[in-house]
Amino acid sequence: MSNERLLVVEDDEDILQLLTFTLESAGFDVLAASDGRSGLELAMREQPEMVILDLMLPGMSGLDVCKELKRLPATAETPVIMLTARGEEVDRIVGLELGADDYVVKPFSPRELVLRIKAVLKRGAPASAPEPEERTRWQVKGLSLDLEAHRVEIDGEETQLTATEFKLLSELVRNRGRVRTRDQLLNTVWGYEFEGYARTVDTHVRRLRQKIGDYAAYVETIRGVGYRFRE
């Protein structure tokens, strides 16, 4: 059984009850809030392992909550999964740009949501002991990647990446010189296969490029296929 504590911010009482029941049945401890402002305050006070955040909230929108969570040092590394309506693609992309790790479209399958949550939490978990032949440190000029320490340095200065961004960068670097398709990245980084979410990969790559600065040019776009970290 899991003992991770999750915060659900959702203003629809029926959906909130469904989420609470589903997540508690899966072994999680659940905190709940029904508006953005109280959800943000609860996240700051209780420091949950993840926030499941509806976009359409009264008072303070889910996008604003996500922006604040990623701005504040205490919650900047807390994973966020957004709950969105089917027609809110633009808002989903904005949410990913702000630092959300993933999103689930309503109406959603409770089983799918639990799988997504476990996949995101796994990205941020400490790495297991590597096999003797497995390489754990990579250096590309001034870009340093330490898989065991979960640490990235740019020209000697540590750069803060989310768990998803770190796993995306490590997947590209470990396969440097080889093209990784969007489907491959979805499977290895996000931990599942599904259709229609290729924009998720593109948005995270764009955000990753912004964070690695001068080394962004090493992450090449292979038009119509995917991405490659060049030699």
Side-chain angles (χ1 to χ4, degrees):
M1 294 291 284
S2 171
N3 60 357
E4 287 98 345
R5 185 168 47 173
L6 312 181
L7 168 61
V8 179
V9 188
E10 168 63 65
D11 65 320
D12 185 305
E13 186 63 31
D14 291 336
I15 295 177
L16 184 59
Q17 289 183 6
L18 171 63
L19 287 167
T20 301
F21 174 78
T22 297
L23 298 178
E24 288 181 342
S25 297
F28 295 106
D29 293 331
V30 180
L31 302 169
S34 57
D35 65 84
R37 178 61 62 184
S38 60
L40 179 61
E41 293 173 353
L42 198 55
M44 294 171 60
R45 185 170 68 248
E46 299 295 334
Q47 302 288 295
E49 275 71 36
M50 176 182 288
V51 177
I52 294 96
L53 179 64
D54 186 33
L55 276 185
M56 302 298 292
L57 293 169
M60 187 178 189
S61 75
L63 290 177
D64 287 337
V65 173
C66 184
K67 186 176 181 179
E68 281 298 292
L69 287 172
K70 295 302 176 181
R71 185 183 67 83
L72 297 169
T75 54
E77 296 186 10
T78 303
V80 174
I81 291 182
M82 299 181 301
L83 299 177
T84 77
R86 191 168 298 277
E88 296 173 339
E89 182 179 1
V90 173
D91 286 339
R92 290 198 293 271
I93 298 303
V94 171
L96 292 172
E97 292 280 10
L98 291 174
D101 292 84
D102 204 352
Y103 62 90
V104 175
V105 179
K106 299 177 183 178
F108 56 85
S109 157
R111 180 177 177 274
E112 179 192 8
L113 177 61
V114 171
L115 289 175
R116 297 285 190 88
I117 289 170
K118 289 181 177 179
V120 172
L121 289 173
K122 185 178 179 181
R123 288 174 222 157
S128 56
E131 296 296 327
E133 69 276 8
E134 184 179 349
R135 184 173 173 181
T136 60
R137 293 176 182 269
W138 299 81
Q139 185 81 33
V140 182
K141 293 190 176 181
L143 173 62
S144 172
L145 180 67
D146 187 330
L147 300 181
E148 285 189 294
H150 214 270
R151 180 184 179 96
V152 174
E153 291 185 354
I154 303 292
D155 298 328
E157 295 290 331
E158 184 173 5
T159 298
Q160 297 298 324
L161 301 183
T162 66
T164 304
E165 292 163 354
F166 182 88
K167 193 163 185 180
L168 176 59
L169 178 60
S170 64
E171 177 68 14
L172 292 171
V173 170
R174 290 163 73 177
N175 291 279
R176 58 192 296 187
R178 291 184 288 174
V179 178
R180 306 299 286 168
T181 69
R182 289 174 175 83
D183 286 343
Q184 287 173 324
L185 291 170
L186 283 170
N187 190 30
T188 56
V189 176
W190 278 259
Y192 37 74
E193 297 177 355
F194 53 95
E195 297 179 357
Y197 284 61
R199 290 287 295 276
T200 300
V201 178
D202 297 338
T203 303
H204 276 83
V205 168
R206 184 163 60 249
R207 212 170 68 208
L208 175 63
R209 283 171 170 157
Q210 292 172 351
K211 290 190 176 182
I212 63 176
D214 293 341
Y215 298 93
Y218 280 86
V219 181
E220 298 180 319
T221 300
I222 309 303
R223 190 174 299 277
V225 182
Y227 295 95
R228 174 178 61 203
F229 197 95
R230 67 180 175 87
E231 294 282 5

